[in-house]
Amino acid sequence: MKRYDLRHLHENFEQRMGEIIEEINEGETAIFLFEVGDFSSVQKSADLVESKGCVLMNSLRFNEADWTIVVKREKT
């Protein structure tokens, strides 16, 4: 399990998150931390995870500005 801090990208984290998800091995879990301006980025991240064929295992607010999601690439 690896943790990726994408907060420095602010609301432009999606492209980098997609690149990282592509690199996750089957059965591996990744934790992403990103900044939430409005809550549309939470839905965008969930849609991105689904489009990449992964499972969104958890999604929660970390503090006032940050969000954490846990993603797992399913074994095929």
Side-chain angles (χ1 to χ4, degrees):
M1 182 181 312
K2 291 184 181 178
R3 179 179 171 264
Y4 300 94
D5 188 346
L6 304 178
R7 291 179 291 180
H8 65 283
L9 299 173
H10 305 286
E11 291 188 16
N12 302 314
F13 66 92
E14 287 179 75
Q15 180 179 348
R16 181 64 182 133
M17 181 184 287
E19 293 168 356
I20 294 169
I21 289 173
E22 290 288 330
E23 298 171 3
I24 297 173
N25 296 321
E26 287 185 357
E28 188 173 274
T29 302
I31 299 170
F32 293 96
L33 183 62
F34 57 92
E35 187 176 294
V36 176
D38 62 16
F39 287 95
S40 66
S41 56
V42 175
Q43 185 61 52
K44 288 178 187 177
S45 68
D47 294 341
L48 177 64
V49 169
E50 183 179 347
S51 74
K52 298 292 184 181
C54 294
V55 175
L56 180 63
M57 298 179 67
N58 200 350
S59 175
L60 57 107
R61 190 174 202 162
F62 182 69
N63 59 34
E64 289 297 317
D66 304 322
W67 203 271
T68 302
I69 63 171
V70 180
V71 176
K72 183 172 184 178
R73 178 164 303 275
E74 293 276 84
K75 292 182 180 180
T76 55

